[in-house]
Amino acid sequence: MINVVIFGAPGAGKGTQSDKIRQKYELMHLSTGDVLRGELAAKTPLGLEAQKFIDNGELVPDNVVIGMVGNKLADNNKFKGIIFDGFPRTISQAIALDDLLFKKNDSISLMISLDVKKEELINRLLLRGKDSGRADDKNEEIIEKRIDVYLRETEPIIGYYHEQNKHFNIVGEGTIEEIFARICNIIDKYKLKKEELTMTIESDAKTNFTTVVEDAKLIEETSEKEEKVEEQEEVKEEEEVEEEEAEETEGEEEEEEEEEEEEEDAPIKIEIEIGDIKVVNGSLKIEIGDFELLKNSEVEIEIGDISIDGGNVQIEVGDIEIEN
Ligand code: AMP
């Protein structure tokens, strides 16, 4: 979208140039003066209210004009932008216009100011007044008043757009075509810059996108590699654990085997609990208690001769059989 404010004092040629700009750049032409005159001709309440201001060469109140422009902005969708002619005429209107456009996600692109000397302005307006039928163009006093109002209330807007780097001043004197060429020069440069800027933004966005994609790929590849390394490490660890366990098992088995071998080789120890020893009717009776064996086996002990030798009892133990 290209939104241009064509700016200048009454008689600077805003209307004439706006029409040419509209055609060339396919813009909507929004002239608040034309809209107000239309309302006046239709005798609408708005037109009737505006009439006294227009006839006196004064500005119609901001709220009336801003409301009117707000309504017109709703119809601009089929155009490539808008050319604002005779609006804004006060700083408040300029701020309100920015707000209105902002709500449409849009903004003013350029403000082109037509610079014309006061005498030339007056001559043009008086000349126009002969054919246009506009009452405010016929009366030199009213013309002077309109130029004063312009200098006092409208011209300061230049500073508003200047601060935003949107203000361009051109000589508004010469032929219509000469002036138009100057205007086109500005608009064309703006369009070119905008295209370049858009291309830069698009290519930046593309580069950024590519970088993002490449970064994502890199991250993916890196994490895949890391996952593989982790998997390999896990497998290695598991193998080591298995090896250790196998070694341990082997060791245990060997130990068991050794123990078994040791057990097999070891002499069988028998603990016999000897209970009471009595002499009954000339016979010696020995009470034998529990046997404790290394293995859970039954033991048969053959007791041989028992004799008393010097006060000691001697028991002859024969074969010992162990049954598993
Ligand atoms: P113009 O045709 O632009 O010279 O406007 C004619 C008259 O309409 C002006 O002298 C004002 O009285 C009124 N007018 C047009 N535009 C505006 C505006 N933006 N703000 C206030 N009054 C306006």
Side-chain angles (χ1 to χ4, degrees):
M1 294 289 264
I2 301 178
N3 298 313
V4 182
V5 172
I6 189 91
F7 195 78
K14 301 188 294 292
T16 310
Q17 293 300 334
S18 291
D19 199 42
K20 292 175 78 64
I21 298 166
R22 171 188 68 79
Q23 283 179 41
K24 180 167 179 178
Y25 297 101
E26 297 169 61
L27 306 181
M28 172 177 141
H29 179 198
L30 177 47
S31 156
T32 43
D34 283 350
V35 178
L36 287 168
R37 279 185 288 277
E39 297 281 335
L40 194 63
K43 294 196 175 14
T44 66
L46 193 150
L48 294 172
E49 193 195 338
Q51 186 170 18
K52 55 181 182 292
F53 297 101
I54 297 171
D55 289 348
N56 282 331
E58 291 165 3
L59 294 183
V60 174
D62 282 342
N63 60 328
V64 176
V65 185
I66 292 166
M68 204 173 76
V69 171
N71 293 336
K72 292 283 167 192
L73 285 192
D75 317 329
N76 75 322
N77 292 337
K78 54 182 185 292
F79 298 96
K80 292 185 177 169
I82 306 173
I83 175 131
F84 293 95
D85 164 11
F87 183 88
R89 262 178 155 104
T90 63
I91 297 278
S92 304
Q93 290 181 18
I95 294 169
L97 178 58
D98 278 351
D99 282 352
L100 287 168
L101 290 173
F102 183 75
K103 281 179 192 141
K104 292 169 72 75
N105 206 15
D106 210 344
S107 62
I108 290 295
S109 320
L110 298 166
M111 187 257 217
I112 302 173
S113 176
L114 306 173
D115 201 11
V116 179
K117 285 192 286 289
K118 190 176 173 182
E119 308 84 72
E120 174 76 7
L121 293 172
I122 296 169
N123 287 339
R124 285 187 191 176
L125 289 171
L126 287 172
L127 197 70
R128 190 171 73 185
K130 285 182 185 163
D131 325 301
S132 70
R134 281 177 59 169
D136 58 346
D137 281 348
K138 288 194 171 86
N139 184 326
E140 197 168 336
E141 202 187 316
I142 297 291
I143 288 171
E144 288 268 359
K145 195 174 175 184
R146 285 161 65 200
I147 293 171
D148 284 350
V149 168
Y150 167 79
L151 293 172
R152 200 176 57 246
E153 297 190 48
T154 307
E155 207 179 45
I157 297 176
I158 289 177
Y160 180 82
Y161 289 105
H162 186 76
E163 276 173 18
Q164 298 180 33
N165 292 323
K166 291 176 179 174
H167 166 241
F168 293 84
N169 200 50
I170 60 160
V171 176
E173 292 176 34
T175 65
I176 290 172
E177 290 308 323
E178 279 167 355
I179 300 164
F180 183 55
R182 290 172 203 147
I183 293 171
C184 292
N185 188 27
I186 295 168
I187 297 178
D188 291 343
K189 274 186 186 156
Y190 170 82
K191 277 182 73 178
L192 204 71
K193 229 173 157 183
K194 199 180 169 191
E195 274 164 21
E196 278 173 9
L197 196 74
T198 314
M199 272 161 65
T200 313
I201 291 167
E202 276 173 3
S203 88
D204 275 2
K206 228 175 174 180
T207 315
N208 286 341
F209 179 70
T210 317
T211 315
V212 167
V213 170
E214 277 169 5
D215 282 354
K217 263 190 196 165
L218 203 71
I219 291 166
E220 208 174 291
E221 280 169 11
T222 313
S223 43
E224 267 175 22
K225 272 183 197 165
E226 283 173 355
E227 272 173 26
K228 271 184 190 164
V229 170
E230 273 175 24
E231 270 175 28
Q232 282 170 354
E233 279 174 2
E234 271 175 26
V235 171
K236 214 175 163 187
E237 271 175 26
E238 276 172 19
E239 280 173 359
E240 280 173 2
V241 169
E242 274 172 19
E243 259 175 44
E244 274 173 24
E245 280 177 356
E247 275 172 19
E248 272 175 26
T249 321
E250 214 173 277
E252 278 171 15
E253 279 171 4
E254 275 173 13
E255 269 175 31
E256 275 173 22
E257 273 172 25
E258 276 171 20
E259 274 173 18
E260 275 172 20
E261 274 170 21
E262 272 173 21
E263 275 174 23
E264 275 171 20
D265 295 344
I268 297 165
K269 288 178 189 167
I270 307 164
E271 273 183 24
I272 306 167
E273 203 179 275
I274 305 289
D276 293 340
I277 302 172
K278 291 174 192 166
V279 179
V280 180
N281 296 332
S283 297
L284 194 68
K285 282 199 172 175
I286 302 166
E287 208 172 83
I288 295 176
D290 297 332
F291 286 83
E292 262 185 40
L293 295 168
L294 198 72
K295 284 186 179 175
N296 191 18
S297 316
E298 282 179 14
V299 184
E300 268 186 25
I301 305 169
E302 198 181 278
I303 304 290
D305 293 338
I306 298 167
S307 54
I308 299 167
D309 184 10
N312 290 327
V313 178
Q314 279 194 352
I315 302 165
E316 205 175 90
V317 176
D319 294 338
I320 299 172
E321 270 182 32
I322 300 166
E323 282 178 14
N324 288 320

